[in-house]
Amino acid sequence: MARTSASKRGRGGKPSAARTPRRPVPPKPIDLHYWPTPNGYKVSIMLEECGLPYRVIPLNIARGDQFKPEFLAISPNNRMPAIVDPAGPGGRPIAIFESGAILQYLGRKTGRFYPATERARVEVDQWLFWQMANLGPKAGECHHFRLYAPERATLQYAIDRFTNECNRLYGVMNRRLADRDFLAGSYSIADMACIGWASRWQRQGQDINEFPHVKRWLDRMLARRAVYKGMHIWIEEASKVRMDDAATRATLFGQRAR
Ligand SMILES: N[C@@H](CCC(=O)N[C@@H](CS)C(=O)NCC(=O)O)C(=O)O
């Protein structure tokens, strides 16, 4: 710690107010509108990895919080995660929805887990977009038809379709990870985007032993403290949600434009 020199002391040996070094103002926390799902984990992991201060604002999607006007003003797609950074560009607040856009923003803001050189950044972007357009949506449909859809027997076509698609995607990931530790070479936001989904391989009807390189990557990822913390934010309300509850199902699965 820096010491106050005698020459900087005022009368009576006390440090003069004018010369007392100012304490750095702690950064204001980022608001994270969050519910514990694989899309939510992406951002909580990144915030933990970067050591950024943040405040979790639970968004109970089973109860319909995503349709509240104040949330829609931040996230017009009525989906979480979303963040509000009070210290955005130009020192002004900024609201961001879509987990991929949030990860890129935080990567640019901190200069971490999102390299600045074009070649390395393209590597990360490819795998981040691969997650956003493939692993996330296909695994999401796979969970839906395998676990939540009614009349499961009549839905065999959809179950097979998304289980096979997930199988294909794990194959893609396995080949990619055969000669590197992380999707873009070094650990990055692309890995953070994938971990929540890929850790649920059982729900997607997969046998992880078919994909040994993905399995090693999962072990590597889940051993990281920030990944563990980001995936274990306790939200009491979330622990009580039952997916067979009629009101929850109507909120989540019956959405139309109006
Ligand atoms: N592409 C979006 C997807 C977000 C998403 O689907 N979030 C879900 C939870 S995992 C949600 O908010 N669901 C609310 C609803 O279905 O109404 C992202 O990555 O941010």
Side-chain angles (χ1 to χ4, degrees):
M1 188 189 286
R3 286 162 65 192
T4 314
S5 73
S7 62
K8 286 188 180 162
R9 288 175 189 274
R11 275 190 202 173
K14 286 188 184 159
S16 69
R19 288 180 185 160
T20 305
R22 279 204 194 146
R23 284 221 185 120
V25 183
K28 282 194 193 156
I30 291 175
D31 281 347
L32 170 61
H33 297 265
Y34 175 86
W35 199 240
T37 75
N39 287 321
Y41 299 153
K42 298 175 193 174
V43 179
S44 49
I45 291 171
M46 179 64 168
L47 290 165
E48 289 288 343
E49 289 284 9
C50 295
L52 286 168
Y54 67 102
R55 187 168 66 148
V56 174
I57 302 180
L59 186 92
N60 188 337
I61 59 173
R63 190 179 57 195
D65 287 359
Q66 66 273 40
F67 302 107
K68 290 185 175 164
E70 59 272 27
F71 181 67
L72 290 173
I74 297 169
S75 181
N77 192 35
N78 66 267
R79 295 283 187 273
M80 72 91 227
I83 64 166
V84 178
D85 180 2
R92 285 181 290 109
I94 187 168
I96 313 173
F97 71 102
E98 278 295 331
S99 57
I102 299 171
L103 289 174
Q104 289 178 323
Y105 169 76
L106 293 174
R108 288 190 300 267
K109 179 183 171 87
T110 59
R112 304 197 61 196
F113 310 111
Y114 192 36
T117 56
E118 187 59 13
R119 219 167 262 284
R121 180 161 285 194
V122 166
E123 286 286 294
V124 174
D125 283 343
Q126 289 175 137
W127 288 93
L128 177 65
F129 279 71
W130 177 81
Q131 189 288 319
M132 295 299 298
N134 296 273
L135 184 64
K138 298 296 164 74
E141 296 304 346
C142 196
H143 291 183
H144 180 85
F145 287 109
R146 294 181 69 92
L147 302 170
Y148 307 135
E151 303 147 36
R152 219 145 294 162
T154 61
L155 291 167
Q156 201 53 50
Y157 181 86
I159 290 174
D160 290 347
R161 158 91 184 136
F162 290 110
T163 305
N164 289 341
E165 185 60 4
C166 281
N167 188 269
R168 184 186 74 79
L169 293 168
Y170 279 95
V172 171
M173 209 172 168
N174 199 53
R175 282 191 294 281
R176 176 68 182 176
L177 290 166
D179 60 354
R180 71 203 81 211
D181 285 348
F182 297 102
L183 288 166
S186 302
Y187 179 50
S188 76
I189 55 176
D191 302 287
M192 298 180 209
C194 291
I195 183 63
W197 290 103
S199 63
R200 297 189 172 187
W201 52 268
Q202 264 167 316
R203 284 177 168 219
Q204 297 145 20
Q206 307 302 318
D207 173 5
I208 201 66
N209 295 312
E210 266 184 50
F211 310 106
H213 305 302
V214 177
K215 194 175 175 194
R216 277 195 289 276
W217 171 86
L218 278 172
D219 291 343
R220 209 172 288 133
M221 289 293 291
L222 295 172
R224 293 184 74 91
R225 192 176 147 73
V227 171
Y228 181 87
K229 284 185 80 180
M231 291 175 70
H232 289 83
I233 294 174
W234 176 252
I235 298 197
E236 181 74 29
E237 273 178 272
S239 68
K240 296 183 186 147
V241 170
R242 290 190 52 101
M243 294 306 285
D244 55 3
D245 173 68
T248 299
R249 297 181 67 80
T251 303
L252 288 173
F253 304 145
Q255 298 176 17
R256 291 167 58 85
R258 290 169 67 88

